[in-house]
Amino acid sequence: MPKGFGFVEIILSARRDYAGSPCRARCTAGYHGCMHTLSGLAKAQIGWPRAAGCAALAFLLAATGPAQAQSAAQSHPALLRALNALRQQGCGKGSRPAAPLRENAALSRAAALVADGRKLDSALQTVDYRAVSTMQITVRGASGAAALAPKALGGSCGAALHAELLEAGFHQRGTQTWVVLAAPFSPPAAAQAEEVQARVLALVNQARSRPQRCGDKAFAPAPPLRLNPTLSGIASAHAGDMARHGYFSHTGRDGSTVDGRATRAGYAWEAIGENIAAGQLSADAAMRGWMNSPGHCANIMSPAFSEMGAAFVVNRQSSQGIYWTQVFGTAP
């Protein structure tokens, strides 16, 4: 590698779009194939078809292990200043400024492990750092802060400007520099459960206030839903079971689906439905995924439902990290 040019190795965390476990919901018809939404189970003459689908929402998968708290003392201040100056100045004409990074001690330990030959995912697991997305940059031929100057990075300069990356770690040895950048896994706290549920409800009612198209099916505006504590409890129990046991399915480990779980919880329903999601770090992200999926969207827009509950549960050691469940219903 010629001196003055950067060798950049980029490792992005895996992203899975519309993939997931096979649909096993106990219904007979669905919206556009198998989708992770249990839609409109109806009793008596409610007129809502027994429908199911299973479509997983976009997952943001990353290295395993919880995010490590930022160290109070930054061990590479000169490198951090150089990288943040680069993110402000850009890499030439047309570059857009990016927010400054903060150094994370765990990422710096990971960078040192990478310098010793570890793969990035193994290094992140060793230092107990969970990320939504990651990038690794290796620069050869420059030392000190000059290693992160546009001239040293050359044509690879733009790799350091990705806006979603918020934390950095560094390791330098002679004329080689290893940088690990990451968007940390930062789910809402359990104490925010009521706030998050209120946000989901607001977004649902915002969607229902105007016409929507869910795949090839058009929906007129529908009356707003209200929160129901029993449905919230059903949603929380199923999200918690998925999070604790690391699976993603409408079918619980005991074989139950949402209609059975609702009955078991004492909710006398005329119509019942369920959306699930995993990996999204906010109510807004979960709702965007549901609205972009025809089956989920149809549940949200269905006039057969009058109330709902929603919940998320976090387990940093699980495959997806955070699990969401939304339960819709209408009682007699």
Side-chain angles (χ1 to χ4, degrees):
M1 179 66 60
K3 186 175 181 179
F5 290 86
F7 171 76
V8 178
E9 182 180 4
I10 300 172
I11 301 176
L12 292 175
S13 60
R15 296 172 184 266
R16 293 193 302 175
D17 295 330
Y18 295 95
S21 57
C23 179
R24 293 184 294 166
R26 181 167 53 82
C27 304
T28 57
Y31 293 96
H32 299 269
C34 191
M35 312 196 48
H36 269 300
T37 173
L38 189 54
S39 306
L41 295 181
K43 281 185 177 177
Q45 301 299 315
I46 193 69
W48 187 243
R50 294 175 71 89
C54 294
L57 306 179
F59 294 143
L60 302 180
L61 293 164
T64 59
Q68 181 82 10
Q70 180 186 357
S71 172
Q74 295 174 348
S75 56
H76 303 85
L79 292 176
L80 181 64
R81 284 195 299 270
L83 188 55
N84 281 334
L86 176 71
R87 285 169 68 87
Q88 284 299 304
Q89 297 164 9
C91 298
K93 189 175 181 180
S95 293
R96 293 184 177 182
L101 300 164
R102 56 184 178 265
E103 183 173 0
N104 183 290
L107 289 180
S108 291
R109 293 198 300 273
L113 291 172
V114 170
D116 289 336
R118 286 280 196 96
K119 296 292 185 182
L120 179 57
D121 56 352
S122 173
L124 291 172
Q125 187 170 11
T126 297
V127 302
D128 208 22
Y129 185 100
R130 182 166 190 146
V132 170
S133 60
T134 57
M135 183 177 293
Q136 175 188 325
I137 300 175
T138 304
V139 182
R140 300 189 178 105
S143 59
L148 299 180
K151 184 177 179 180
L153 290 170
S156 302
C157 180
L161 303 183
H162 288 275
E164 75 275 10
L165 301 170
L166 301 176
E167 297 188 333
F170 307 92
H171 185 75
Q172 199 163 59
R173 185 183 297 159
T175 59
Q176 293 190 71
T177 303
W178 292 264
V179 181
V180 176
L181 306 176
F185 176 72
S186 302
Q192 297 174 278
E194 289 187 6
E195 175 187 340
V196 171
Q197 181 176 231
R199 178 61 178 166
V200 173
L201 179 67
L203 292 170
V204 166
N205 285 335
Q206 183 181 71
R208 288 170 69 92
S209 70
R210 58 177 70 99
Q212 302 286 348
R213 179 163 288 277
C214 303
D216 61 2
K217 185 174 177 60
F219 284 83
L225 301 181
R226 60 184 177 270
L227 285 177
N228 178 285
T230 301
L231 294 180
S232 296
I234 296 165
S236 179
H238 188 56
D241 196 57
M242 290 191 293
R244 283 189 299 275
H245 299 283
Y247 71 96
F248 182 61
S249 174
H250 288 287
T251 304
R253 292 178 306 118
D254 61 357
S256 67
T257 50
V258 67
D259 54 335
R261 291 190 289 270
T263 299
R264 188 168 60 199
Y267 184 78
W269 54 272
E270 289 187 349
I272 199 78
E274 180 181 78
N275 286 346
I276 60 175
Q280 295 77 12
L281 297 180
S282 69
D284 290 62
M287 276 294 297
R288 278 195 300 272
W290 283 329
M291 289 303 295
N292 287 332
S293 168
H296 299 89
C297 176
N299 265 355
I300 290 167
M301 293 303 299
S302 171
F305 298 131
S306 61
E307 49 195 6
M308 62 159 278
F312 70 91
V313 175
V314 174
N315 178 1
R316 292 177 179 273
Q317 305 304 323
S318 64
S319 60
Q320 305 302 331
I322 181 170
Y323 295 78
W324 300 81
T325 301
Q326 189 177 41
V327 178
F328 305 90
T330 295

